[in-house]
Amino acid sequence: MVQQVLINDDDYYVPDANQLVTENDTPVDNFASAKQQRLLVSSLYSSLQSQTFLAEANVGIYYTDLQPPIVPDVFLSFDVQVPENWWEKQNRCYMVWRFGKPPEVVLEIVSNKEGDELGKKLQIYEHMRASYYIVYDPNQQLREKVLRVYELRGTRYFETSENWLEQVGLGVTSWEGEFEGRQDHWLRWCYQDGNVLLTGDERAEQERQRAEQERQRAEQAEQRTQLLADRLRAMGVDPDTL
């Protein structure tokens, strides 16, 4: 068991962070999963700038001192922030007792049949009391479903057919398009109307297109003005005197 440290005079204990493994430097991901994780995390930070939250990929979560951390592919936790000194041992990963709450959403991307996403991991996230557990299985390694959403009701997870996560005001949806130069099917966050949360690059492209449309409208207006002036001159009328 991890050594306990007493805080102030209360009967409240937290594990000694110096004895916890916060990172092990072992690369385990594949290209597709890594890019999917970046899409999910980056779109949150580019689209929810007015909200306080923490979203990360492949960062460990300690939910109890009695077990090693679990490392979801992506997690999302609202109303929390990374501490200022994130290099301190106790601030390097998500320790539930320090943040005061589990993440609202945890997500696993299935790349093989060894991850036990519907077994042990489901039980851990259920015990952790994450509000939603999402299993994204793009290659249908775990039978026919590509997407499974579990919602915590009381102390148990129940699979739901709803892709809208009511408690966090976000949804998930399948989307076909290009991300970081790769055309594919992706899992994305969405609003209730179905529109996806944009990445920074998508927002920049959207602004570029808007600016180009404004330029074209201004150019067309100038052409119409010039055409009118030419017609007036042909009629013997000086447009500058009007």
Side-chain angles (χ1 to χ4, degrees), residues 77-231:
S77 185
F78 283 96
D79 300 319
V80 299
Q81 291 179 303
V82 175
E84 186 68 26
N85 188 351
W86 59 10
W87 287 112
E88 290 185 3
K89 185 70 171 178
Q90 67 270 20
N91 296 334
R92 290 189 180 187
C93 65
Y94 197 105
M95 300 180 187
V96 171
W97 52 86
R98 289 189 63 82
F99 285 94
K101 57 184 282 293
E104 278 79 11
V105 184
V106 288
L107 186 148
E108 295 285 355
I109 302 168
V110 180
S111 55
N112 54 53
K113 297 180 180 180
E114 308 302 320
D116 204 15
E117 284 84 4
L118 302 182
K120 183 63 174 178
K121 286 183 179 178
L122 186 148
Q123 294 173 7
I124 290 174
Y125 293 132
E126 185 179 70
H127 176 71
M128 186 195 303
R129 299 184 63 76
S131 300
Y132 296 98
Y133 173 39
I134 299 171
V135 180
Y136 180 50
D137 187 8
N139 293 314
Q140 296 174 287
Q141 298 279 345
L142 309 178
R143 301 186 298 276
E144 72 282 358
K145 285 191 177 181
V146 171
L147 183 65
R148 292 176 173 84
V149 178
Y150 295 90
E151 182 179 25
L152 189 69
R153 301 172 187 169
T155 60
R156 298 294 303 277
Y157 271 143
F158 291 87
E159 187 172 0
T160 174
S161 60
E162 292 292 328
N163 292 351
W164 176 250
L165 315 180
E166 182 68 33
Q167 296 182 51
V168 297
L170 287 174
V172 286
T173 188
S174 177
W175 176 84
E176 183 177 1
E178 183 177 322
F179 173 64
E180 293 184 350
R182 179 78 181 197
Q183 183 78 20
D184 212 329
H185 289 88
W186 306 94
L187 182 68
R188 299 196 62 164
W189 305 106
C190 65
Y191 299 104
Q192 197 161 15
D193 61 6
N195 289 323
V196 298
L197 275 65
L198 299 180
T199 65
D201 287 345
E202 288 171 333
R203 286 186 173 278
E205 176 61 20
Q206 192 177 71
E207 288 301 316
R208 188 197 66 77
Q209 292 179 2
R210 185 179 293 115
E212 177 63 18
Q213 290 170 357
E214 289 294 331
R215 186 194 66 79
Q216 291 177 359
R217 281 194 288 267
E219 188 176 87
Q220 291 167 358
E222 184 179 352
Q223 291 173 350
R224 287 193 295 268
T225 300
Q226 184 61 46
L227 180 60
L228 177 60
D230 291 343
R231 288 178 177 175

Side-chain angles (χ1 to χ4, degrees), residues 45-61:
Y45 280 105
S46 64
S47 296
L48 303 183
Q49 297 180 12
S50 63
Q51 298 188 45
T52 300
F53 66 92
L54 175 58
E56 288 299 342
N58 282 326
V59 172
I61 299 176

Side-chain angles (χ1 to χ4, degrees), residues 229 231-242:
R231 288 178 177 175
L232 288 172
R233 290 189 182 97
M235 297 168 60
V237 178
D238 184 356
D240 294 331
T241 63
L242 298 178

